[in-house]
Amino acid sequence: MPDRVLGGGVKTRVGIVGAGPAGLLLSHLLHLDGIDSVVIESRSRQEIEATIRAGVLEQGTVDLLKSAGVGERMQREGFVHEGIYLRFGGRTHRIDFPSLTGGRSIMVYAQHEVIKDLVAARLAAGGKILFEVKDAAVYDLDTQAPKIRFHHQGTVQELECDFIAGCDGFHGITRPSIPSRARHEFTRVYPFGWFGILVEAPPSTDELIYAHHERGFALVSTRSPQIQRLYLQCDPDDELRNWPDSRIWDELHARLATGEGWKLAEGRIFQKGIIAMRSFVVEPMRYGRLFLAGDAAHIVPPTGAKGLNLAAADVRVLSKALAAFYSSGDEEALKGYSAKALKRVWRAEHFSWWMTSMLHRFHDESAFHHRLQLSELEYVASSRAKAQTLAENYVGLPLD
Ligand code: RFL
Ligand code: PHB
């Protein structure tokens, strides 16, 4: 349906703030149901397509992208992984996903590639994405006609909507637009961060390695046969200039050391960044006609690889609820959106917190705590029940 111009403003059914995975996928799923939307984004197309973030897609996210017709390149260029390695005490233990989860696996495919695929699909279908908007504000949220006002290409514009989706990430403007009396926030900030690098090197491993070590956590991931993604636990307030390449490699070698004949392939480091770690949830994920989805509503530490996957699960539920509303006028599914999404969110919050707590070194860690971590890792490595708990959460619980 084309946008209707009303008194200088533009009207759409669903106004979406943020062109991250949540906003773009929501816009695409709504389009498949014949529902028009407009996405506004503060950054440029080039920037959103170049931001390095997630790498692991759950089976359910992969299936959703495929069924929505945006999985073609992912299937060609992504890597299916059927397990992960846990490395501790200098030894490596494999968690085999298919045998523990009834045949499920994960896909390693970078978030910015998902973004490129979604932007291309939206634009090819005539979808509206306004890049480089400024000063976005949402209001009239508790009326039937919520609005988004913003600056775009030198003019102030107003978008009148039936609904607004707040998909603008953790630092966005939609969540803080909910009166504080109407939101309950839960936060945990971790006393460490991740130092992430991209390296020109061949893969050192066929599946991701999550390493627990006295010097701190390390993770070996991949992006392509030529580019590898590695992380190491660091001080959250540390600065890039304190990490010359030689120090990065020394730490990675020390934390990943094993007597099993494994070798870490080095190469040119061409990107470095420090990532803070937090857990956060806002309840409910709705206020009036504003619905929050993805990082705007919840954050997990990246250890469980859940953030993008939760964003995809949220918008799947939200798009179905909106489709039910537009096809029959039934608001029940919209009323149930927050509770339904939060059930999955809290499971992922727990899993991400558990993986983070088990694998990282805490500043105030006592020898007692360290022994508990090792005991838990031994248990995961030796008990089918415990390994299954890890595996079914990592590949993602079924979407329905
Ligand atoms: P995003 O991706 O932050 O997108 C929000 C978009 O909103 C825009 N925006 C605004 N636009 C207009 N007006 C405003 N006022 C605006 N304010 C913000 C922003 O520019 C942006 O484009 O949120 P979304 O869509 O909810 O997606 C969430 C995911 O990006 C995030 O959860 C994941 O990246 C988390 N994550 C991982 N998730 C996984 O599922 N698997 C992984 O392997 C994984 N690894 C990771 C990760 C996150 C990481 N970092 C950097 C935090 C690894 C890392 C290192
Ligand atoms: C990544 O490849 O960026 C990645 C993989 C696994 C994680 C987090 C990030 O848990």
Side-chain angles (χ1 to χ4, degrees), residues 226-295:
Q226 296 80 31
I227 298 190
Q228 311 313 317
R229 179 76 165 143
L230 295 111
Y231 298 97
L232 41 89
Q233 178 182 347
C234 66
D235 189 311
D237 302 318
D238 214 335
E239 291 177 33
L240 295 185
R241 62 187 163 87
N242 296 331
W243 287 86
D245 294 5
S246 57
R247 180 176 175 209
I248 296 173
W249 290 118
D250 286 351
E251 277 303 321
L252 284 169
H253 281 294
R255 296 181 193 192
L256 291 160
T258 159
E260 297 161 334
W262 179 85
K263 264 206 150 54
L264 175 64
E266 290 191 19
R268 185 178 73 88
I269 298 173
F270 63 94
Q271 209 252 1
K272 299 180 186 177
I274 293 176
I275 301 136
M277 310 262 286
R278 77 169 75 228
S279 299
F280 171 86
V281 182
V282 67
E283 291 186 356
M285 288 168 58
R286 170 188 188 172
Y287 175 72
R289 287 201 160 204
L290 168 69
F291 292 83
L292 301 178
D295 280 14

Side-chain angles (χ1 to χ4, degrees), residues 11 60 78 113 131 144 209 215 294 311-313 366 374 395:
K11 223 171 167 331
E113 303 296 347
F131 293 102
Q144 305 270 56
I209 304 173
R215 299 183 69 90
S366 61
L374 287 173
V395 301

Side-chain angles (χ1 to χ4, degrees), residues 52-56 84 106 108-111 194 198 208 210 217 219-223 228-231 301-306 355 394:
I52 305 298
R53 295 186 82 175
V56 172
I84 55 168
I106 54 135
V108 179
Y109 186 65
Q111 176 166 329
W194 277 12
L198 282 171
L208 274 57
Y210 287 81
F217 171 76
L219 170 62
V220 184
S221 182
T222 186
R223 285 293 179 271
Q228 311 313 317
R229 179 76 165 143
L230 295 111
Y231 298 97
T303 329
K306 286 279 158 269
M355 287 283 279
Y394 196 96

Side-chain angles (χ1 to χ4, degrees), residues 16-24 40-43 48 52-58 111 115 133-137 166-174 194 196 208 210 223 229 231 275-276 293-300 302 304-311 394:
I16 300 175
V17 186
L24 290 168
I40 63 156
E41 166 60 51
S42 54
R43 295 183 298 155
I48 65 163
I52 305 298
R53 295 186 82 175
V56 172
L57 306 182
E58 292 176 358
Q111 176 166 329
I115 295 278
V133 307
K134 291 192 178 55
D135 306 326
C167 300
D168 48 348
F170 184 66
H171 300 288
I173 51 99
T174 56
W194 277 12
L208 274 57
Y210 287 81
R223 285 293 179 271
R229 179 76 165 143
Y231 298 97
I275 301 136
D295 280 14
H298 41 73
I299 292 286
V300 285
K306 286 279 158 269
L308 186 162
N309 293 295
L310 275 182
Y394 196 96

